[in-house]
Structures are given as structure tokens and as C-alpha cells.
Amino acid sequence: AVVGFAMSLLFHMSQTEACPPSCSCKSLGAMKGLQIDCSSRKLTEVPALPADTKRLYLQNNSLTSVPAGALDSLRGLEEVKIFDNPWNCDCHILYLKLWLEDVSAPSLTNISCATPAPLRMKPLRQLTGNELGICKRLLPIKCLEFFWRDLILIVGAIITLTLVAWALKFSKKLVCQINL
């Protein structure tokens, strides 16, 4: 019984220490995870969250985006509330949109874009790739970099093959002259 109490205390302490300082945390019971309430805290970024988070409340803050990978460790998440934030629906919002589609599709219902102006009040779930103009502009730049790299490699290969062919032709003439 003493060992069980000590383990329970240790488990509770480790959960308490993992709670983000700007949030309130509540244990959902032994081995059942945590409820992390970071709502209405004027947060501008998502805090580091414990991996055993089951319920996450981030609504009514000043979040504009979520860095790619920031929520990937929350594998056991059961509930997410992330609405009422001024989401900036540019290329960087794709991570959040795809993550919510995979983990908590119902959470997309109440999330709307605040910026840019053409997307203001548009629900995040309705956002399409065509509306993310910045993403479209990134692709040609990268393609252009690959084009020049590939062009240089091809030209280099052609020059090398030409030199090898010329060297072989020259070496045959040299061999023929030596034989005479």
C-alpha cells in the first residue's frame, strides 16, 4: 500500500511538473492523462505540452499559427478546443489544418481565419490550396533551383563524355601511328 501511494504521488508530481506555467492542469485519474486548460491566457504561441495530454483547451487566445510538429507528440489527445484565435491563414496554417483533420476533425468546425483580408472569417476546414498564394510561389523557386542544378550536371556530363570520346579517338590514332 505504501509503495502504491508513493508511486501515485510520484506520478502526480511528474504530471504537475509537466504543466505549462501559463496553463492550469488537472489529472483525469491515474494513468488517464491530463486536461490542459490554456484558454483565455492571451497566449501568442502554443506552450510545450506534456505527451499525456488528453484534453487541450487553447481557445480565446492570440494564437496566429502553430509551428509544424508542435502538436505531434500529443498522440492520445481526445479533445481539442482551439477556436477564437486570430488565425493567420497563410502557408504555415497548413500544419494545423492537416493535424486537426487527422486528430480532431470536429475541432475544425469553429476555427476561422482572421488574416489575410481575402480569407477573413473563412472557416479553416474550407481552406483550399488555391487560397494559399504564398505556397504556390514557393514551389517555382525551388523548381528553378533544381532546374539550374540539373542543367549544370547535364552540361558537365556532356563535356565529360565529349572529352572521353575525343581522348579515345586520339589514343587510337596514336596506337595506329606507333604500329606503322
Side-chain angles (χ1 to χ4, degrees):
V2 174
V3 172
F5 176 73
M7 290 298 287
S8 172
L9 186 61
L10 183 63
F11 180 71
H12 179 65
M13 284 175 61
S14 68
Q15 285 184 333
T16 305
E17 290 170 359
C19 186
S22 54
C23 307
S24 65
C25 300
K26 179 176 131 184
S27 175
L28 298 172
M31 306 303 278
K32 291 186 181 175
L34 292 172
Q35 172 180 301
I36 311 290
D37 187 355
C38 303
S39 61
S40 304
R41 309 288 166 111
K42 299 180 181 170
L43 298 177
T44 56
E45 57 186 40
V46 177
L49 298 163
D52 62 342
T53 301
K54 296 292 183 197
R55 297 180 191 155
L56 177 60
Y57 305 133
L58 286 165
Q59 72 270 23
N60 195 29
N61 279 295
S62 298
L63 302 172
T64 58
S65 67
V66 176
L71 303 172
D72 290 349
S73 65
L74 306 179
R75 303 201 191 292
L77 206 60
E78 297 169 356
E79 181 182 9
V80 182
K81 292 183 180 177
I82 202 162
F83 56 88
D84 286 339
N85 282 291
W87 298 109
N88 181 21
C89 294
D90 65 2
C91 228
H92 304 289
I93 202 70
L94 269 178
Y95 167 75
L96 178 63
K97 181 181 189 293
L98 296 173
W99 184 83
L100 284 170
E101 285 173 355
D102 286 346
V103 174
S104 180
S107 299
L108 278 166
T109 306
N110 299 319
I111 301 174
S112 297
C113 301
T115 57
L119 299 177
R120 184 166 174 73
M121 300 307 293
K122 179 156 187 143
L124 183 59
R125 72 175 184 279
Q126 293 177 6
L127 199 62
T128 65
N130 294 333
E131 293 159 322
L132 298 171
I134 259 184
C135 296
K136 289 189 286 187
R137 276 184 258 141
L138 290 176
L139 183 61
I141 291 169
K142 289 187 179 192
C143 287
L144 196 57
E145 289 172 10
F146 288 119
F147 170 77
W148 289 114
R149 185 203 64 193
D150 292 348
L151 183 63
I152 290 169
L153 289 173
I154 291 169
V155 168
I158 291 171
I159 290 171
T160 303
L161 288 173
T162 305
L163 289 173
V164 167
W166 181 76
L168 285 173
K169 185 177 179 182
F170 181 74
S171 68
K172 283 184 183 178
K173 283 183 182 179
L174 194 59
V175 169
C176 288
Q177 288 176 354
I178 293 174
N179 287 339
L180 292 175

